[in-house]
Amino acid sequence: MLGQFRKEYVALNLPNTIVDANSNRGWSKRSLWRWWNQLSRFQRSVVYILILAACFAALYFLPATHPSWNPSNGKLNIALDRNHVTPPLSLLSPKKAQPPDNSLDKEQPAKEAHINNNTQKKQPMLDKEDLVLSGETANNNNVGQVHSPPRDGVKFSGSTNERQAAVVAAFRHAWKGYKKYAWGHDHLKPITGTFHDWFNLGLTIVDALDTIYIMGLKEEFAEAREWVANSLHFDGNRDVNLFEVTIRVLGSLLSSYHLSGDRMFLDKAVDLGTRLLPCFDSDSGVPYSDVNLATRKAHSPKWSPDSSTSEVTTIQLEFRDLSRCTGDPKFEDSAAKVSLHVHGLEKSEGLVPIFINANTGHFRSYSTITLGARGDSYYEYLLKQWIQTGQTIDYLRDDFVEAISGVMKHLTRRTAQNKYLFIGELLAGGRDFKPKMDHLTCYLPGTLALGVHNGLPQEHMQLAEELMTTCYQMYAQQPTFLAPEITYFNIQERTTGDMSVKTNDAHNLLRPEFVESLWYMYQITGNKTYQDWGWQIFQAFEKYAKVVNGYTSIGNVRNPVNTRPRDMMESFFLSETLKYLYLLFSDDPHILSLDKYVLNSEAHPLPIYDT
Ligand SMILES: *[C@@H]1O[C@H](CO)[C@@H](O)[C@H](O)[C@H]1NC(C)=O
Ligand SMILES: *[C@@H]1O[C@H](CO)[C@@H](O)[C@H](O)[C@H]1NC(C)=O
């Protein structure tokens, strides 16, 4: 599909037609001179003035003229953006991760064979008209352009029904407590009315920016923008975690730039991205986990020589986008190299151990294989990078498809009683199976559905639907209707009960993964059951996590009369949980079109490019 647009773009921009037209007229230099001599003095002055005016006009417009093909309305757009400095042509050439040796050319007719032929009918509820009616400006990110968002920002209508209004009210409640007790700090402690700092980057404000924008909260957006513009500085002498800061801060700054069109956010993103780059100066190119933003010294975590596999492979969407927005390839190149390196490592049926050494570039042998903590978003970013780059980097898709086959074969089991399908873990390099599933793993059905939406095998959808039921049960079987951090599944025959929870795992941190999947599943299938499940969970948050000054994580989902509040509201509650719920309840299921945006691991939407 995208290939078509690319071809038309090329045809429209070939200057040959103009050259040919001129030469056909057959004007020689001599006849031009004769014509000139026949003009009166006045006529010559007029010609001089016209030429001069043409020169001025050219100087004024030329540096920022991007002709572009707008696929949604079929018109050739000339974007005139004088604030935007066009990079030299060398930078405008298509930038993408070097394909691996085994990759074929872009069109890939042969390799498409194992992909479903449902790409044409993949969007039952979306057609071209919806794209135009939604009022959003279609992406003009054609091959080799520096991407600039719509100048006036993308328009959102604000809440349009009671459920959405309730989510907005929840957001404002959280925001009010944060503003009163923790403004400018990373997290609110809503019970004691104090704050918690982790990186000293005002995480809650930054992480919530695009949620605020999407909810249409103008006043809150103005105060958050003001804080970012004047008080967000990256020169604090403090170590930060590359992955966390990339997905939360860099991701949100880039999203805010794309949605609002405000260049200040991009300037901040460039400053931050530049300070994070030293992480990649390891022997292998696999980044160190931590960096000091002031001294720009990077190092491994204090507790280990290794980085987490998911952390080093969950920064690529953001660094690529930063390069696409600035025309400076160094961000994308550093991060894409890591993906390519991990692609080249030996895996067992696409599954990766959770630790990797930045100096040797090798996995730690015998470490756990899981789709939960430290493994999860490796798989997520394989698919999402493939989508972000217009489905042009085949190894990403192939590694994802292979990994999902590996998951189906080695990590899935059913409970004895109700045959719920779940995903467990492999310990000791694959020798022992542990029937334990992190709530984090509940991101997977949404990601699988996103893959099927983009033409991946239909059997992924069956896995997604079954996992949705299991994740829903993780909530529904608790008396608080909130899922614990970790659930164990019962696979022994002749026992009762499908799942159990250990005391140390019984907390709920207001995490988003299941409501994230609910949104994808609802958007892709249109099945309203997913909205109803989301509403049940939202009400459980209202009942058991809401406190006077915000929302708190709780220590025990098993006891409604003693939930053991933990006095902590993490930034992802505003960035992800409430955003996904708001999107899930939207009357317009394509409020944020999956064909235009890919959401990073912290729910920050970034544009999909053609290449
Ligand atoms: C998809 O369609 C192409 C051409 O129309 C065909 O060659 C290919 O075998 C089909 N693949 C599947 C999985 O049906
Ligand atoms: C919607 O999803 C629920 C939960 O998986 C399922 O029970 C129901 O049959 C689905 N409805 C339709 C119309 O597919």
Side-chain angles (χ1 to χ4, degrees):
M1 286 174 312
L2 291 166
Q4 271 171 5
F5 295 132
R6 210 176 297 127
K7 268 178 230 137
E8 279 164 295
Y9 167 70
V10 171
L12 277 164
N13 286 288
L14 278 181
N16 297 357
T17 47
I18 298 163
V19 174
D20 288 342
N22 278 341
S23 62
N24 283 346
R25 279 193 208 152
W27 277 27
S28 69
K29 267 188 202 158
R30 224 158 26 127
S31 64
L32 200 75
W33 182 241
R34 206 177 299 136
W35 170 78
W36 179 251
N37 282 335
Q38 283 163 2
L39 295 181
S40 75
R41 213 173 140 160
F42 173 72
Q43 283 170 320
R44 282 186 212 172
S45 310
V46 170
V47 171
Y48 279 134
I49 289 169
L50 283 176
I51 291 174
L52 225 76
C55 289
F56 274 116
L59 276 177
Y60 189 66
F61 288 120
L62 262 186
T65 302
H66 310 305
S68 60
W69 175 248
N70 182 338
S72 73
N73 61 12
K75 288 193 188 115
L76 180 71
N77 296 339
I78 309 288
L80 301 173
D81 184 354
R82 285 180 293 280
N83 292 342
H84 220 107
V85 181
T86 303
L89 269 178
S90 62
L91 287 179
L92 285 175
S93 65
K95 304 176 293 288
K96 64 167 197 162
Q98 309 88 317
D101 296 337
N102 65 351
S103 78
L104 307 171
D105 68 27
K106 273 182 194 171
E107 301 305 325
Q108 295 282 333
K111 286 195 87 177
E112 299 294 334
H114 72 286
I115 305 298
N116 272 351
N117 275 347
N118 65 354
T119 21
Q120 307 310 325
K121 54 172 189 191
K122 72 182 180 181
Q123 327 150 348
M125 300 185 293
L126 176 75
D127 55 30
K128 283 277 153 58
E129 258 159 46
D130 287 335
L131 277 175
V132 177
L133 287 175
S134 76
E136 298 181 19
T137 311
N139 288 336
N140 289 332
N141 38 39
N142 281 304
V143 182
Q145 284 185 21
V146 171
H147 178 86
S148 8
R151 183 79 68 87
D152 301 329
V154 178
K155 303 281 180 285
F156 291 95
S157 65
S159 62
T160 56
N161 58 49
E162 271 176 33
R163 286 178 174 182
Q164 270 196 317
V167 178
V168 173
F171 183 91
R172 294 186 113 134
H173 178 72
W175 189 250
K176 194 171 135 214
Y178 171 77
K179 222 172 123 176
K180 190 162 170 195
Y181 295 109
W183 187 251
H185 296 281
D186 285 342
H187 293 131
L188 166 70
K189 289 167 80 72
I191 292 174
T192 49
T194 52
F195 54 79
H196 165 257
D197 273 315
W198 188 16
F199 305 137
N200 260 337
L201 294 173
L203 274 188
T204 296
I205 300 177
V206 181
D207 222 358
L209 279 166
D210 55 340
T211 303
I212 298 172
Y213 190 89
I214 289 167
M215 288 181 175
L217 301 172
K218 300 218 160 57
E219 209 175 289
E220 286 83 353
F221 190 75
E223 65 197 6
R225 185 217 176 266
E226 161 89 8
W227 186 87
V228 171
N230 300 316
S231 307
L232 177 60
H233 304 294
F234 300 119
D235 49 9
N237 189 356
R238 187 168 191 147
D239 283 348
V240 303
N241 176 282
L242 167 69
F243 157 76
E244 294 285 359
V245 167
T246 297
I247 63 165
R248 297 191 200 215
V249 184
L250 189 58
S252 188
L253 290 171
L254 288 167
S255 263
S256 302
Y257 170 59
H258 290 294
L259 295 180
S260 73
D262 186 339
R263 246 197 107 86
M264 181 276 295
F265 293 116
L266 179 60
D267 294 340
K268 291 282 175 185
V270 172
D271 183 17
L272 175 60
T274 308
R275 291 167 189 271
L276 293 173
L277 274 181
C279 282
F280 296 93
D281 293 337
S282 67
D283 291 342
S284 67
V286 171
Y288 294 115
S289 66
D290 295 279
V291 62
N292 184 307
L293 293 179
T295 65
R296 308 191 187 198
K297 286 221 162 55
H299 57 85
S300 303
K302 289 183 191 78
W303 44 269
S304 160
D306 296 336
S307 303
S308 297
T309 303
S310 68
E311 292 193 3
V312 304
T313 51
T314 310
I315 48 182
Q316 283 70 20
L317 291 180
E318 300 80 1
F319 277 78
R320 176 175 291 110
D321 192 70
L322 188 53
S323 277
R324 302 299 174 99
C325 291
T326 58
D328 186 342
K330 69 183 176 218
F331 306 105
E332 174 168 3
D333 288 349
S334 304
K337 226 176 84 186
V338 183
S339 286
L340 202 56
H341 172 85
V342 174
H343 165 66
L345 294 177
E346 199 183 323
K347 307 175 195 70
S348 98
E349 302 193 51
L351 303 175
V352 294
I354 57 174
F355 290 110
I356 186 166
N357 188 299
N359 289 317
T360 65
H362 293 307
F363 290 128
R364 190 201 292 175
S365 346
Y366 305 114
S367 53
T368 302
I369 290 174
T370 173
L371 269 80
R374 302 188 189 285
D376 48 6
S377 47
Y378 159 73
Y379 308 96
E380 176 188 356
Y381 269 34
L382 286 176
L383 179 77
K384 288 184 173 176
Q385 284 195 77
W386 177 65
I387 291 171
Q388 181 191 32
T389 52
Q391 310 187 351
T392 55
I393 306 178
D394 296 322
Y395 84 82
L396 294 166
R397 176 200 61 201
D398 295 343
D399 286 2
F400 178 78
V401 171
E402 188 188 359
I404 298 308
S405 301
V407 167
M408 289 178 181
K409 207 158 142 194
H410 299 292
L411 295 182
T412 50
R413 297 280 195 286
R414 287 182 187 280
T415 61
Q417 192 178 2
N418 284 306
K419 313 293 174 213
Y420 292 134
L421 188 83
F422 68 95
I423 296 181
E425 301 183 347
L426 291 174
L427 307 186
R431 275 202 302 268
D432 301 320
F433 180 82
K434 198 170 180 188
K436 155 185 181 277
M437 183 165 160
D438 292 352
H439 178 270
L440 288 170
T441 307
C442 290
Y443 86 93
L444 187 66
T447 296
L448 289 170
L450 180 63
V452 173
H453 177 72
N454 282 278
L456 296 193
Q458 198 63 37
E459 61 176 348
H460 289 192
M461 202 63 182
Q462 280 134 30
L463 176 61
E465 278 167 2
E466 290 219 49
L467 289 173
M468 289 305 278
T469 300
T470 307
C471 288
Y472 175 71
Q473 289 299 328
M474 289 177 174
Y475 283 77
Q477 295 201 6
Q478 301 305 328
T480 55
F481 218 94
L482 289 174
E485 179 74 359
I486 297 170
T487 301
Y488 284 81
F489 291 87
N490 201 341
I491 50 179
Q492 311 296 337
E493 291 297 338
R494 288 186 301 277
T495 53
T496 50
D498 291 297
M499 36 187 101
S500 62
V501 180
K502 302 194 171 179
T503 305
N504 282 340
D505 304 332
H507 49 290
N508 180 298
L509 306 182
L510 314 175
R511 283 198 191 278
E513 289 74 22
F514 185 53
V515 291
E516 168 183 349
S517 283
L518 284 172
W519 175 62
Y520 282 105
M521 293 297 286
Y522 171 61
Q523 187 166 185
I524 289 164
T525 68
N527 185 336
K528 289 193 189 306
T529 299
Y530 299 124
Q531 283 185 316
D532 296 339
W533 287 358
W535 183 243
Q536 287 178 302
I537 291 166
F538 175 71
Q539 285 175 314
F541 282 134
E542 290 291 285
K543 192 159 176 194
Y544 294 107
K546 189 174 185 176
V547 293
V548 176
N549 293 311
Y551 290 80
T552 180
S553 53
I554 61 173
N556 188 7
V557 297
R558 297 177 303 179
N559 187 348
V561 294
N562 181 16
T563 57
R564 291 196 280 118
R566 288 187 152 197
D567 195 20
M568 175 62 72
M569 185 177 80
E570 288 244 23
S571 69
F572 55 66
F573 181 63
L574 285 75
S575 164
E576 301 191 70
T577 311
L578 291 179
K579 183 190 285 146
Y580 283 125
L581 284 166
Y582 180 83
L583 294 172
L584 173 66
F585 299 142
S586 174
D587 294 320
D588 170 10
H590 302 289
I591 176 173
L592 206 59
S593 169
L594 292 179
D595 298 314
K596 288 201 269 178
Y597 295 101
V598 59
L599 279 77
N600 87 341
S601 204
E602 187 81 0
H604 300 302
L606 299 172
I608 293 173
Y609 295 98
D610 280 357
T611 187

